[in-house]
């Protein structure tokens, strides 16, 4: 077998360019005769636009053209890719999402006008001379206020600020309520899942270009899914047929969800480049990113668990308000519903579940998927509530969980919220985490902390997530306006090297290293013989891109299927060359052999024959060795795990220090352990960031208070501990050919409840009876809770 | 105005306005796009370079202030034969990068740290990186890479 096949911690080949400054990110692209755009953005949250005076700005040096909403008459709004149906069977309210604000401003950061100039500084200078005539309106920021009778409406043409009122499963509601009436114990918890900003380190960039000779538009953009952008922008916004539109997402500096969506700036640059017949470039500043990148989370929830007298969970119900912001971002409606409600069973056998979600428009930046997307919100509610429940009952929180786990012999397991978990072993990850975190030694460590005046606590959380998004026919029924397959073309060159063109997109995940490991394993050649092409609609098959921890499970499976087709054809050629029966041909270590004989022919000889078909069965098969596969998954994948966090709290200041963090995950099979562990580190860091530091805060007027890194607390090196990661508990996915589940989001899902549970444990075991503290657990919040 | 400085050992000149930041000058005028810009408040450290041997966020200096200085950017860090230097190699060996955007700043910061403190502790490394934000790695493997680059014994992460 090749040394760099499946299971090897192969060094990443992409690192060399990133470490030498030769990566090619979108902002590194500069085209001849390029113009620059600066967007004048709203500095108030809600206002009527009575007029925009651009006359002074138009005459300023270098200004080429100033665009306002009237230039986009006849151009479509940004489409929403998922239509949720409410509990009465009615479609959600879906307002137009214009490229440039039309008549009204609905959030701070919305584009009011765009200045295109010869240099960026000239564009910025001119934007300062634009005078919008605004009539400021009261802003709607708080979700519960927004849905009150008579509240100011974000969209005048909608009936209210309620996007939808979703019940799941509506038919279960009466039975759930009945179970609560019969319960021996009910635990109730109200909590906030704080609004976050994804903050990939590379801000968004768009460069639009137009070639008059071929009538082709090209957009270079910081996207996780260039084909999705091509489809949405071409078909729904600008009316450009896909064969006249190319979207390129080169090296992308992190995504975390916020680079999935189709944004106004992409459409603007593409549109303006065609209008002006010159390339138009936009580079977001970080300050712009805070007020224009889709935000994440922002749920306000009430969760209740009912138990019988033996502490078995008998029912669960939740009420959630989910902030959509001012407009529906590309996948926003699906996040609090199909990515949240269907995960409310968690790792447990709870037989009856009802989830209600009210999605609400407010005068804030649109909210959409951020690392985990819905699943962190579900897990946080459940794992916090179970912890509270254990404290109320006086039982061990780990054992209460274990008692209610779905057991290994129950898979496949159909939950009461419409999904079927294919595999899992929650007992195994719990045991592994308890062992690695040395929970047995905790009491002694807690005593030691007491001696130094600190309060030590330990928190546990389990998680399950649905990855590998998703079976197209299922999500179609649920309102998705897209298919969620993935594609790959495997092209074998005459000399035996392989090029894989994938619809998946890497923006830090290391596909250029891991995907070749799979091919190397299948053929038995060195991974260095395999090249990955991604991120350009001109040279990859129509693919859906990378999000929801789907690349290897769905994109890797597409590649596997295409490689299978290639190998099957190569076997036919080998059979011809060796004058043997095709059924007797085996491929191992890059050699085709005839079973039971010493005949063999090398991979390279077969590939050469495919392209130089002198001795070739031309009457039976075509020359060439290139195949494409589209893989549509049969189910989601269900990674799961147990996370344990240990903290110390300073009683005098409320400062929380994370002492250790242990993650025991079941990702199924693992292709590159080094990369998988890195994904968990990063996810856990973002989860700790949410729990301890990060908060996207608006004031009552809709002004964003945390709009720079001076105000939004990103986790820094000294805020985080070393993270213990284990992925030895493996129950391979049963329905994809690689048996993989996905690992990208787990950390961000499991870490927040583990950390918050640890802090509450520290407080409660040291005489501070505190039920809950909302994230982020800043010193002020923790101190106030202890001293209430 | 014309601004001239030595960059990665070569004398280089370009046009700058008074308000042009060193980070923009390196990227736009000199075409050295390895220096990245991740924020506009001098918080993220992606633009970290060395000016006259000192670690500097290139967005905190005007290009004109760098007139006549000796600047090193990520493009000047590899060995003379083009191979990765010790720190760069450690970042690859210990998976100290994912998306790569903060990486140039991290390498420049790490290099500066190891010049001042050849055997830093984990705490010293974490404190030195206070001005460099990474969103991908949780810093776990960056810290390991820097410890390994300093010759300290760190269990291998990548396969040989």
């Amino acid at each position: 077998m090749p040394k760099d096949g499946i299971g090897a911690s192969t060094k990443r080949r992409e690192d060399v360019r990133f470490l030498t400054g030769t990566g090619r990110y979108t902002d590194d692209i500069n085209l001849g005769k390029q113009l620059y755009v600066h967007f004048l953005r709203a500095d108030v949250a809600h206002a009527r636009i009575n007029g925009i005076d651009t006359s002074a700005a138009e005459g300023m040096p270098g200004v080429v053209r100033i665009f306002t909403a009237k230039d986009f008459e006849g151009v479509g709004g940004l489409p929403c890719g998922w239509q949720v149906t409410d509990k009465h069977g009615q479609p959600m309210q879906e307002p137009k999402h214009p490229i440039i604000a039309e008549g009204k401003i609905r959030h701070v950061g919305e584009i009011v006008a765009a200045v295109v100039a010869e240099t960026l500084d000239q564009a910025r200078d001119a934007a300062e001379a634009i005078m919008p005539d605004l009539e400021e309106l009261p802003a709607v920021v708080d979700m519960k206020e927004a849905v009150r009778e008579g509240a100011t409406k974000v969209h005048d043409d909608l009936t209210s600020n309620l996007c939808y009122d979703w019940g799941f499963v509506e038919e279960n509601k009466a039975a759930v309520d009945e179970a609560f009436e019969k319960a021996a114990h009910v635990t109730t918890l109200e909590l906030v899942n704080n609004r976050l900003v994804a903050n990939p380190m590379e801000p968004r960039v768009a460069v639009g270009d137009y070639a008059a000779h071929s009538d082709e538009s090209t957009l270079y953009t910081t996207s996780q899914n260039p084909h999705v952008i091509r489809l949405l922008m071409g078909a729904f916004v600008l009316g450009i047929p896909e064969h006249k539109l190319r979207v390129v997402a080169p090296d992308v500096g992190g995504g975390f969800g916020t680079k999935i969506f189709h944004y106004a700036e992409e459409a603007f640059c593409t549109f303006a480049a065609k209008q002006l017949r010159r390339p138009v470039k936009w580079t977001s500043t970080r300050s712009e990113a805070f007020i224009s990148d889709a935000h994440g989370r922002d749920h306000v929830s009430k969760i209740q668990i009912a138990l019988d007298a033996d502490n078995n969970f008998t029912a669960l119900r939740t009420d959630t308000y989910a902030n959509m912001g001012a407009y529906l971002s590309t996948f926003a409606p699906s996040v609090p519903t199909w990515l949240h409600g269907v995960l409310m069973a968690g790792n447990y056998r709870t037989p009856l579940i009802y989830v209600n979600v009210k999605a609400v428009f407010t005068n804030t930046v649109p909210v959409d998927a951020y690392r985990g997307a819905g699943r962190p919100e579900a897990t946080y509610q459940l794992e916090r509530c179970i912890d509270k429940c254990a404290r109320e009952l006086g039982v061990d929180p780990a054992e209460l969980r274990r008692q209610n786990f779905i057991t290994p012999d129950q898979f496949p397991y159909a939950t009461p919220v419409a999904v079927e978990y294919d595999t899992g072993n929650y007992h195994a990850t719990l045991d592994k985490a308890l062992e690695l975190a040395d929970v047995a030694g905790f009491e002694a460590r807690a005593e030691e902390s007491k001696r130094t005046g600190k309060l030590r606590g330990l928190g546990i959380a389990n998680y399950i997530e649905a990855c590998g998004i998703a079976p197209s026919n299922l999500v179609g029924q649920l309102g998705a306006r897209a298919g969620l397959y993935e594609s790959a073309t495997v092209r074998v060159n005459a000399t035996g090297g392989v090029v894989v063109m994938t619809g998946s997109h890497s923006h830090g995940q290391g596909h250029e290293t891991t995907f070749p490991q799979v091919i190397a394993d299948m053929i038995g050649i060195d991974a260095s013989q395999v090249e990955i092409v991604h991120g350009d609609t001109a040279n990859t098959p129509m693919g859906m891109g990378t999000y929801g921890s789907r690349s290897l499970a769905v994109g890797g499976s597409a590649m596997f299927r295409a490689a299978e087709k290639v190998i099957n054809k190569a076997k036919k050629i080998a059979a011809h060359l060796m004058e043997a029966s095709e059924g007797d041909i085996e491929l191992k270590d890059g050699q085709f052999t005839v079973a039971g004989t010493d005949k063999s022919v090398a991979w390279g000889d077969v590939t050469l024959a495919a392209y130089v078909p002198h001795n070739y069965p031309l009457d039976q098969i075509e020359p060439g060795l290139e195949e494409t596969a589209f893989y549509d998954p049969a189910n989601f994948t269900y990674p799961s795990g147990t996370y344990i966090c240990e903290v110390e709290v300073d009683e005098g200041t409320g400062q929380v220090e994370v002492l250790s963090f242990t993650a025991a995950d079941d990702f199924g099979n693992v292709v590159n352990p080094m990369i998988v562990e890195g994904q968990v580190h990063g996810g856990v860091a973002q989860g700790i960031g949410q729990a301890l530091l990060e908060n996207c805060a608006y004031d009552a007027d809709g002004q964003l208070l945390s709009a720079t890194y001076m105000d939004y607390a990103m986790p820094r090196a000294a805020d985080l501990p070393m993270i213990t990661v284990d992925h030895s508990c493996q129950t391979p996915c049963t329905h994809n050919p690689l048996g993989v589940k996905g690992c990208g989001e787990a950390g961000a899902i499991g870490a927040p409840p583990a950390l918050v549970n640890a802090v509450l444990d520290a407080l409660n075991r040291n005489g501070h009876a505190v039920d809950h503290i909302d994230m982020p657990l800043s010193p002020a919040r923790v101190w106030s809770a202890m001293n209430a | 105005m014309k601004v001239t400085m030595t960059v990665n050992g070569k004398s280089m000149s370009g046009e700058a306005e008074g308000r042009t930041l060193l980070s923009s000058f390196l990227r736009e005028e000199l075409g050295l796009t390895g220096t990245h810009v991740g924020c506009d408040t001098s918080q993220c450290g992606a633009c970290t370079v060395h000016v006259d041997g000192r670690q500097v966020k290139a967005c905190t200096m005007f290009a004109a202030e760098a007139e006549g200085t000796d600047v090193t950017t990520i493009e000047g860090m590899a060995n003379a034969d083009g191979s990765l230097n010790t720190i760069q190699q450690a970042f690859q060996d210990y998976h100290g990068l994912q998306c790569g955007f903060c990486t140039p700043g991290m390498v420049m910061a790490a290099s500066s740290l190891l010049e001042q403190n050849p055997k830093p502790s984990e705490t010293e490394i974490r404190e030195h990186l206070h001005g460099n934000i990474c969103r991908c790695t949780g810093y776990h493997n960056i810290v390991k890479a820097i410890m390994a680059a300093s010759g300290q014994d760190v269990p291998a992460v990548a396969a040989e």
Side-chain angles (χ1 to χ4, degrees), chain A residues 9 11-12 19 25 27-28 121 125 197-198 201 254 285-287 678 681-682 686 694 710 715-717 720 723, chain B residues 19 27 33 36 38-40 43 74 88 92-93 95 98-101 126 130 135-140 159:
Chain A
S9 284
K11 288 177 199 175
R12 297 198 332 164
L19 283 161
Y25 297 87
D27 193 41
D28 303 339
D121 287 332
D125 289 344
V197 182
M201 291 317 298
T285 64
R286 182 60 59 184
S287 298
H681 297 152
Q686 290 183 6
E694 298 176 39
M710 318 276 271
R716 296 178 189 252
L720 298 169
I723 299 159
Chain B
R19 60 183 168 179
R27 288 183 57 79
T33 54
H36 294 157
C39 77
D40 47 8
Q43 290 282 308
I74 189 69
Q88 292 168 318
Q92 187 187 30
D93 292 349
H95 191 30
Q98 291 181 26
C99 83
F101 196 80
R126 289 184 185 274
H130 191 74
R135 192 55 152 170
C136 294
T137 64
Y139 307 96
H140 183 105

Side-chain angles (χ1 to χ4, degrees), chain A residues 605-628:
Chain A
D605 293 330
V606 171
T607 62
L608 190 64
Y611 290 95
V612 187
H614 296 163
N615 173 19
Y616 195 89
L618 287 166
D619 54 332
Q620 293 162 40
I621 46 174
E622 297 169 9
L625 205 46
E626 172 171 330
E627 300 286 348
T628 295

Side-chain angles (χ1 to χ4, degrees), chain A residues 514-580:
Chain A
T514 49
F515 279 33
Q517 290 183 249
V518 174
I519 297 289
D521 222 60
M522 293 176 77
I523 300 174
I525 56 176
D526 199 274
S528 64
Q529 298 260 82
V530 186
E531 190 74 19
I532 301 299
V533 175
H534 62 106
D536 185 346
T537 60
N539 57 22
T540 53
M542 171 76 181
M544 297 310 292
T546 287
Y547 40 83
S549 306
R550 72 193 298 272
S551 293
L552 192 59
V554 190
S557 293
M559 175 180 70
F560 185 94
R561 292 286 185 236
E564 273 186 334
K565 291 187 194 179
V566 158
I567 290 169
N568 287 341
K569 183 171 177 183
K571 283 182 175 174
K572 288 191 172 76
I573 303 167
H576 174 85
L577 293 177
M578 293 188 282
E579 296 176 341

Side-chain angles (χ1 to χ4, degrees), chain A residues 446 449-450 452-456 648-651 657 766:
Chain A
S449 293
K450 264 186 199 164
T452 59
K454 297 282 176 67
L455 317 181
R456 189 181 278 249
E648 266 184 353
V649 178
D650 185 315
E651 203 168 17
E657 187 184 355
N766 288 285

